[in-house]
Amino acid sequence: MAASAYSACSKIAVLNNVNRHLLKPVTSSVNSTTMRTNMFWSPDRKGGYDPHTPQATTLEKLKLGFSMLGSEFKLLAKEVKSGFKADTDPMYMDSFFMAPYSEHGSYKVVWKFRGNEDIEKFIVTSDQDHGEGYSEALFSVSKENRGLFHGRLDTRVPKDGKISNAGYCNIRSQKNYKSFKRESPHAWHNYTHLVIRCRGDGRPYLINMDTKCNLDVIWHDQYNFTLYTRGGPYWQTSKIPFSKFFLTTKGRIQDKQNAIELGNISTVSITQADRQTGPFALEIDYIAVIRDVHHKEEFWWEMYEGKAEMMY
């Protein structure tokens, strides 16, 4: 009983420490323009960020839709063929009907950065893009022909009377789509770990995973884990259990935690927001997933189910 209580307290202490030292800039208003009273619900999936994209007329939408019919039907035909192949070959389950087949040690490279074509699969943003800071970020090809996330973090706060914290840069994978623009999330529920081979600058980075969701109350739910880089000229391979990712909403760690839905991963992103003004650089070789049958842990963080007064 005492050992169990000690384990629970230690996990709470670790989570609070992460929140205090690393997630503080993420939890600030720099990542959300919504009022604090609306932190649990937002009428906008973008959280208040309006790109001011001009709206197309009905006629323009019809023309665009008809022009895309041919390519969309071709994609649909490929999906159907993939489904039939999965039905006849149990070792081939990489379709919209079934999850990818995986045994112990199964390894799937999701993103391998070897040129501009791979770099363009990610979107780069910073606080400067939204007029909320002065940070700059780029995602380009390095001298070693790898992906290089670099720039300059700037914690200066704009003097507009609205922003109280600044300083973040981010790269985020683009969503996958099937035919007729149907979102196709990553199906990773047969895998246990996220693997990233990188070469950093000694600064911590935040790895984020979003899930596909249609309910507005969970639009801004996200799962996070800290990536600590060693710095120096040597590469490091970090193997992170999915069970270690913890739930946040608009950057705020939630009291009630739950494991991530691995069959419904929409995007993966990497954030630099450690509140240290200066240049940063993270060179990435690849991002992969792996299955370890010896990893039995479903969720590392405590999940409270008792009455509220039991927590005090």
Side-chain angles (χ1 to χ4, degrees):
M1 184 67 179
S4 177
Y6 176 79
S7 176
C9 292
S10 64
K11 291 181 180 182
I12 294 172
V14 171
L15 190 57
N16 289 336
N17 186 60
V18 171
N19 185 18
R20 182 169 62 255
H21 289 95
L22 183 64
L23 295 182
K24 186 175 180 181
V26 181
T27 62
S28 66
S29 59
V30 73
N31 275 359
S32 176
T33 59
T34 57
M35 299 296 292
R36 185 174 294 274
T37 54
N38 293 334
M39 64 177 294
F40 297 109
W41 177 78
S42 173
D44 179 18
R45 185 183 286 268
K46 292 292 185 179
Y49 292 99
D50 184 6
H52 302 290
T53 304
Q55 295 295 321
T57 63
T58 304
L59 181 59
E60 290 173 338
K61 291 179 181 179
L62 287 173
K63 289 182 178 179
L64 180 61
F66 280 113
S67 66
M68 298 171 62
L69 281 177
S71 59
E72 297 302 321
F73 274 115
K74 289 180 180 179
L75 285 176
L76 180 61
K78 290 182 180 180
E79 292 170 15
V80 173
K81 290 181 181 178
S82 178
F84 281 126
K85 186 172 182 179
D87 287 337
T88 57
D89 185 359
M91 295 297 291
Y92 183 88
M93 297 184 179
D94 192 9
S95 69
F96 62 97
F97 290 109
M98 302 180 186
Y101 179 82
S102 56
E103 296 178 336
H104 175 65
S106 294
Y107 200 82
K108 178 181 180 182
V109 176
V110 185
W111 295 285
K112 190 174 184 178
F113 302 102
R114 291 296 183 273
N116 288 321
E117 184 177 350
D118 301 316
I119 298 297
E120 291 173 357
K121 295 177 181 178
F122 280 70
I123 301 171
V124 186
T125 56
S126 69
D127 53 14
Q128 186 178 110
D129 298 333
H130 305 289
E132 296 181 342
Y134 304 98
S135 302
E136 300 177 352
L138 292 171
F139 192 38
S140 56
V141 180
S142 69
K143 295 180 180 179
E144 303 293 332
N145 198 32
R146 302 294 189 269
L148 180 62
F149 175 39
H150 62 109
R152 187 178 189 276
L153 196 71
D154 197 327
T155 57
R156 287 182 298 159
V157 178
K159 298 179 180 180
D160 57 2
K162 298 179 181 179
I163 308 301
S164 58
N165 291 279
Y168 80 88
C169 299
N170 185 77
I171 55 172
R172 182 178 190 152
S173 65
Q174 298 193 42
K175 294 181 179 180
N176 295 328
Y177 290 95
K178 297 186 289 189
S179 59
F180 298 99
K181 304 306 177 184
R182 295 170 297 151
E183 188 176 343
S184 176
H186 300 282
W188 293 347
H189 50 270
N190 280 342
Y191 298 95
T192 58
H193 294 73
L194 182 75
V195 181
I196 177 170
R197 186 172 187 264
C198 61
R199 180 163 56 179
D201 50 7
R203 301 176 71 158
Y205 293 79
L206 199 63
I207 300 180
N208 322 293
M209 292 196 295
D210 294 272
T211 57
K212 177 187 175 184
C213 57
N214 297 317
L215 299 176
D216 52 9
V217 293
I218 57 174
W219 276 346
H220 302 98
D221 283 6
Q222 195 175 67
Y223 293 84
N224 312 103
F225 192 80
T226 308
L227 172 67
Y228 293 99
T229 61
R230 291 197 299 258
Y234 301 107
W235 289 90
Q236 68 180 76
T237 302
S238 299
K239 181 182 175 184
I240 306 170
F242 287 122
S243 59
K244 293 293 194 296
F245 282 81
F246 52 88
L247 174 64
T248 63
T249 298
K250 294 184 179 180
R252 297 176 177 90
I253 298 178
Q254 300 301 289
D255 291 332
K256 188 173 182 180
Q257 292 284 320
N258 61 270
I260 188 170
E261 189 179 351
L262 291 174
N264 200 28
I265 304 297
S266 177
T267 61
V268 174
S269 58
I270 300 176
T271 303
Q272 171 51 249
D274 65 357
R275 299 183 69 83
Q276 301 297 321
T277 297
F280 68 90
L282 179 67
E283 191 172 6
I284 309 172
D285 185 7
Y286 62 80
I287 300 175
V289 289
I290 190 172
R291 177 175 177 80
D292 184 354
V293 297
H294 303 296
H295 184 79
K296 304 297 183 181
E297 184 179 71
E298 294 183 3
F299 195 58
W300 193 79
W301 306 102
E302 294 292 335
M303 294 185 290
Y304 300 102
E305 298 293 343
K307 295 181 180 180
E309 57 266 22
M310 294 179 63
M311 297 175 60
Y312 297 93

